[in-house]
């Protein structure tokens, strides 16, 4: 059974930092051509935040998080990370990880239909 377990969220003030983790089981992340993070803010649709492309190792980020977020993975731990710095209130959302076919910018295309519970990030102003 494929499972993603996201962690690391919390309540921080504007300008603070968090490091999200996503532990995958039932699959090997490096077998997928794209792994990344989505987020869903209250009342909004889910959006792709960051993506790693297996083809060349390139990383892609949503324009609004460029320069502040860094995506990385540890194949030995089968874990995906998202380092988030200089957080802003508009980053408040539940964050989910995913594995899929390819990156379309920051979006993981055709993600596996195996969503975790997500990890909640709340940034206070």
């Amino acid at each position: 059974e494929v499972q993603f377990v996201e962690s690391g969220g919390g309540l921080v003030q504007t300008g603070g930092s968090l490091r999200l983790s996503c532990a995958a089981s039932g699959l090997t992340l490096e077998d997928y051509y794209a792994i990344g993070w989505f987020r869903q803010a209250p009342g909004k649709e889910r959006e792709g935040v960051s993506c790693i492309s297996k083809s060349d190792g390139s990383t892609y980020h949503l324009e609004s998080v460029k320069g502040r977020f860094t995506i990385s993975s540890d194949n030995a731990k089968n874990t995906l990370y998202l380092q988030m710095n200089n957080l802003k209130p508009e980053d408040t959302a539940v964050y989910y990880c995913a594995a899929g076919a390819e990156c379309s910018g920051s979006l993981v295309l055709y993600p596996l239909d195996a969503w975790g519970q997500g990890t909640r990030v709340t940034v206070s102003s």
Side-chain angles (χ1 to χ4, degrees):
E1 179 185 8
V2 174
Q3 281 192 326
F4 295 110
V5 179
E6 299 93 348
S7 62
L11 172 64
V12 295
Q13 293 184 333
T14 296
S17 297
L18 287 172
R19 188 192 194 206
L20 306 185
S21 298
C22 169
S25 60
L27 79 163
T28 301
L29 290 175
E30 63 180 326
D31 288 345
Y32 288 82
Y33 282 92
I35 52 176
W37 291 90
F38 286 80
R39 69 184 180 186
Q40 187 164 20
K44 296 187 177 181
E45 292 189 355
R46 191 171 296 182
E47 64 178 351
V49 177
S50 301
C51 190
I52 299 176
S53 173
K54 178 183 177 181
S55 62
D56 60 2
S58 294
T59 60
Y60 303 91
H61 297 279
L62 193 64
E63 189 64 34
S64 61
V65 309
K66 282 182 181 177
R68 301 188 296 118
F69 289 14
T70 303
I71 186 173
S72 62
S73 64
D74 185 330
N75 291 333
K77 295 182 178 180
N78 207 29
T79 299
L80 183 66
Y81 301 99
L82 186 67
Q83 177 67 44
M84 307 188 297
N85 299 326
N86 191 21
L87 283 160
K88 302 178 179 182
E90 51 264 41
D91 297 318
T92 294
V94 179
Y95 285 72
Y96 304 87
C97 60
E102 63 181 296
C103 296
S104 176
S106 63
L107 182 66
V108 175
L109 291 183
Y110 309 110
L112 291 175
D113 188 19
W115 298 97
Q117 82 289 348
T119 186
R120 186 177 299 276
V121 173
T122 304
V123 185
S124 63
S125 58

